[in-house]
């Protein structure tokens, strides 16, 4: 049997049909895409419209499209305000908006939005008071980022009481609240407690959420940071690398959270002596943050500070100073003058003064750093000890040996108490103290300290860090 | 002597050259090492 001949008319019909299907498919694609990526037009009123706006805002946030998300959630807030100042839907919109404003680095504005929402949850705490617990935990997380650790801890513990009473211990809400507590413990320098908290959270998250969930990566990243702080560099590195792999796979290679762990891994690489790898990682983190968050976000300030630190190590003092000042300028706007991170950048700037021989400027700046750290972190935090060590070095440079010795002894005692006797930071203070002892002709004592420092160095896996190591022939005498 | 003076001066200024190590016979005696510098703070890391 012959095939029917394809006439010109039939071919034309077929082409039209294909074109039609193609057009419909494209239109459907645009419609779906549009629904995912844009904020619905602001409706006059109504429950469904409000829910659409909040959903769209959250989706946009998850796609890292923060300005559009903010616009959408602002519309939701405007709409729900009409339901009354104490309506839970208003609280929900306020919290969603606060979350995006927080991501964009405008912490004070976010705090006021979270506070407004929380005031409503105090009146309508939700089933088993869980809405109130989530509100408390959200605010606690923000206060942690603002450097207000005691208040953050108080709220997080309050939230934890509520969720523990209402939910099983492996509920994601319980785990998230516990994670928040661990993060505060880490920042307050309570490293042993933080490790226990994070390890417990991690074990349960892996069981409940699976090993590749982004929440697992978040906990791994912060647990790695505590390992890094306590000198457990190998464990830190494997935690960071696992966290990066999970985040890259789940969120994409250019997500803000990927940048956060890259930044931590870079700091570790610097400490163990791989400066060029650290630079590569920091530059990648800065690129990610600048693209996703703009040029005035506190995370960008962190990246600039860290690159500055690296340049400082390499003796590029002017480049370093420029980056520290840029970081400070960004921080002034978003964090205020008394944030612990502002003090950290000031400390680094003081290091620039020190290296230029501007000891009075260095001393004044270190004193400012100490005042902030003692107020915000408490007098028992190891960061205070590091600043004592730096201030003491400035005194030595001015031949004020008695003042310096007093600070070295205090710094050593505090570091040994908070970080342990074999932490690399202790080695740094020991060798600086030895330098002072050597200058004041107590060479036998100096030799003992340097020998102890060397032992710590050898044990810490930091021997590759040759750039920090210099022979000290004077001690042979 | 000059080598030692350079180290002393750099130690005083807190700016240590990268990878500076004693070598040869000097290294045989210089079994002890020192890191003498002010410590910076990284952020978020």
């Amino acid at each position: 049997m012959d095939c029917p001949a394809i006439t010109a008319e039939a071919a034309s019909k077929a082409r039209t049909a294909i074109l039609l299907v193609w057009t419909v498919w494209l239109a459907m694609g645009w419609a779906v895409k549009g629904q995912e990526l844009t904020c619905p037009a602001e409706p006059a009123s109504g429950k469904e419209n409000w829910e659409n706006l909040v959903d769209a805002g959250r989706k946009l946030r998850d796609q890292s499209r923060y300005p559009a998300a903010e616009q959408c959630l602002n519309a939701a807030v405007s709409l729900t305000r009409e339901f009354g100042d104490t309506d839970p839907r208003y609280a929900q919109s306020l919290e969603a908006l606060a979350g995006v404003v927080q991501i964009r680095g405008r912490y004070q504005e976010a705090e006021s939005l979270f506070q407004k929402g929380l005031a409503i949850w105090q009146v309508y705490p939700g089933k088993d008071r869980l809405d109130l617990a989530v509100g408390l935990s959200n605010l606690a997380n923000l206060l942690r980022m603002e450097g207000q650790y005691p208040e953050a801890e108080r709220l997080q513990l309050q939230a934890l009481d509520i969720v523990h009473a209402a939910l099983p211990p492996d509920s994601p809400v319980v785990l998230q609240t516990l994670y928040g507590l661990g993060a505060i413990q880490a920042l307050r320098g309570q490293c042993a407690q933080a490790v226990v908290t994070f390890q417990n959270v991690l074990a349960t998250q892996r069981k409940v959420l699976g090993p590749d969930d982004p929440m697992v990566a978040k906990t791994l990243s912060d647990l790695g940071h505590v390992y890094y702080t306590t000198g457990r560099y190998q464990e830190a590195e494997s935690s960071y690398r696992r966290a990066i792999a999970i985040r890259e796979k789940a969120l994409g290679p250019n997500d803000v959270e990927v940048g956060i762990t890259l930044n931590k891994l870079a700091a570790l690489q610097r400490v163990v002596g791989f400066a060029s790898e650290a630079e590569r990682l920091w530059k990648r983190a800065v690129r990610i943050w600048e693209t996703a968050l703009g040029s005035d976000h506190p995370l960008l300030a962190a990246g600039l500070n860290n690159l500055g630190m690296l340049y400082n190590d390499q003796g590029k003092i002017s480049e370093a100073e420029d980056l520290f000042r840029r970081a400070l300028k960004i921080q002034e706007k978003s964090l205020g003058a008394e944030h612990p991170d502002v003090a950290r950048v000031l400390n680094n700037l003081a290091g620039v003064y020190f290296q230029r021989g501007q000891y009075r400027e260095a001393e004044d700046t270190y004193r400012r750093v100490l005042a902030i750290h003692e107020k915000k972190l408490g007098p028992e935090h190891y960061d205070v000890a590091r600043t004592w060590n730096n201030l003491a070095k400035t005194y030595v440079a001015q031949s004020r040996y008695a003042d310096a010795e007093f600070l070295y002894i205090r710094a050593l005692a505090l570091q040994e108490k908070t970080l342990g006797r074999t932490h690399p930071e202790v080695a740094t203070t020991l060798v600086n103290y030895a330098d002072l002892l050597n200058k004041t002709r107590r060479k036998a004592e100096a030799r003992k300290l340097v020998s102890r420092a060397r032992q710590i160095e050898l044990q810490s896996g930091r021997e590759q860090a040759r750039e920090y190591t210099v022979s000290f022939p004077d001690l042979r005498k | 002597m000059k080598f030692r003076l350079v180290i002393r001066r750099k130690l005083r200024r807190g700016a240590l050259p990268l990878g500076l190590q004693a070598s040869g016979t000097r290294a045989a005696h210089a079994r002890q090492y020192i890191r003498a510098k002010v410590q910076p703070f990284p952020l978020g890391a």
Side-chain angles (χ1 to χ4, degrees), chain A residues 10-321:
Chain A
S12 166
K13 273 184 185 167
R15 269 200 303 274
T16 312
I18 289 168
L19 198 66
L20 189 67
V21 170
W22 172 249
T23 313
V24 168
W25 182 79
L26 264 186
M28 280 170 65
W30 280 329
V32 170
K33 208 174 166 190
Q35 201 179 353
E36 276 175 9
L37 295 180
T38 59
C39 185
E42 191 174 337
S45 62
K47 178 173 177 282
E48 278 177 21
N49 288 329
W50 159 73
E51 280 177 349
N52 285 344
L53 281 170
V54 173
D55 279 353
R58 286 185 174 142
K59 272 184 196 155
L60 288 162
R61 178 200 63 197
D62 293 343
Q63 292 163 20
S64 306
R65 297 189 54 196
Y66 304 122
E70 192 177 333
Q71 194 187 0
C72 218
L73 292 166
N74 258 320
V77 167
S78 302
L79 189 65
T80 49
R81 193 183 288 130
E82 290 172 14
F83 301 151
D85 276 354
T86 54
D87 192 291
R89 290 167 293 183
Y90 181 44
Q92 218 171 317
S93 309
L94 283 168
E95 280 197 336
L97 176 62
V100 173
V101 172
Q102 176 181 335
I103 292 172
R104 299 189 76 191
R106 301 191 329 258
Y107 295 153
Q108 285 168 358
E109 200 182 323
E111 187 182 336
S112 131
L113 291 166
F114 274 132
Q115 294 276 19
K116 270 191 200 171
L118 194 57
I120 299 172
W121 297 130
Q122 304 275 13
V123 183
Y124 299 100
K127 187 174 178 286
D128 294 329
R129 304 176 73 220
L130 284 174
D131 286 336
L132 173 62
V134 172
L136 286 166
S137 184
N138 282 339
L139 182 58
N141 287 333
L142 175 66
L143 291 174
R144 184 185 80 225
M145 299 182 90
E146 289 186 287
Q148 299 178 33
Y149 305 131
E151 182 61 3
E153 188 170 32
R154 192 181 70 77
L155 295 182
Q156 203 67 270
L157 286 170
Q158 231 176 302
L160 205 56
D161 277 347
I162 298 173
V163 296
H164 268 320
L167 299 167
D170 59 356
S171 149
V173 177
V174 174
L175 294 173
Q176 211 155 332
T177 316
L178 257 180
Y179 159 83
L181 183 67
I184 297 166
Q185 289 168 337
L187 286 165
R188 297 191 80 181
Q190 300 157 353
C191 296
Q193 288 160 272
V195 167
V196 173
T197 308
F198 283 142
Q199 282 178 338
N200 286 338
V201 171
L202 191 63
T204 320
Q205 277 176 334
R206 279 178 165 149
K207 261 189 247 161
V208 178
L209 306 170
D212 297 330
D213 190 273
M215 279 309 295
V216 169
K218 200 176 179 74
T219 312
L220 268 172
S221 184
D222 282 22
L223 176 62
H225 180 59
V226 186
Y227 287 145
Y228 161 80
T229 306
T230 48
R232 295 161 69 175
Y233 296 140
Q234 285 178 350
E235 286 154 292
E237 183 169 357
S238 71
S239 301
Y240 289 156
R241 290 200 186 279
R242 182 81 198 107
I244 291 168
I246 296 173
R247 284 178 159 171
E248 280 183 333
K249 195 174 163 197
L251 311 168
N254 296 318
D255 191 88
V256 170
E257 303 275 314
V258 172
I260 287 174
T261 315
L262 288 172
N263 179 53
K264 292 180 196 294
L265 180 61
L268 175 65
Q269 296 294 330
R270 170 185 169 267
V271 163
V272 297
F274 299 115
S276 55
E277 176 64 1
E279 185 172 2
R280 188 186 69 79
L281 294 167
W282 267 324
K283 282 185 170 165
R284 192 178 148 200
V286 164
R287 264 199 311 274
I288 290 175
W289 292 334
E290 208 162 17
T291 310
L293 303 167
S295 56
D296 55 358
H297 195 281
L299 276 174
L300 185 66
L304 295 177
N305 170 77
N306 295 345
L307 271 173
M309 203 172 61
L310 201 63
Y311 293 148
N312 191 56
D313 291 344
Q314 296 165 353
K316 299 173 188 166
I317 309 293
S318 298
E319 282 106 318
E321 182 180 9

Side-chain angles (χ1 to χ4, degrees), chain A residues 331-397:
Chain A
Q331 286 180 325
E332 264 171 29
K333 277 192 216 158
S334 52
L335 303 178
E338 291 213 321
H339 193 286
D341 278 354
V342 173
R344 291 182 177 111
V345 182
L346 281 172
N347 172 86
N348 299 348
L349 193 60
V352 168
Y353 296 143
F354 177 87
Q355 285 165 85
R356 290 209 178 115
Q358 297 167 264
Y359 299 127
R360 294 313 296 249
E361 285 92 335
E363 186 184 331
D364 289 348
T365 313
Y366 282 135
R367 285 186 183 285
R368 227 177 113 191
V369 173
L370 269 178
I372 299 174
H373 274 170
E374 284 176 348
K375 185 174 167 191
K376 290 290 183 174
L377 305 174
E380 296 273 286
H381 195 284
Y382 42 78
D383 281 1
V384 171
R386 185 182 291 193
T387 313
W388 281 339
N389 170 67
N390 291 345
L391 184 57
K393 190 94 187 86
T394 313
Y395 287 152
V396 170

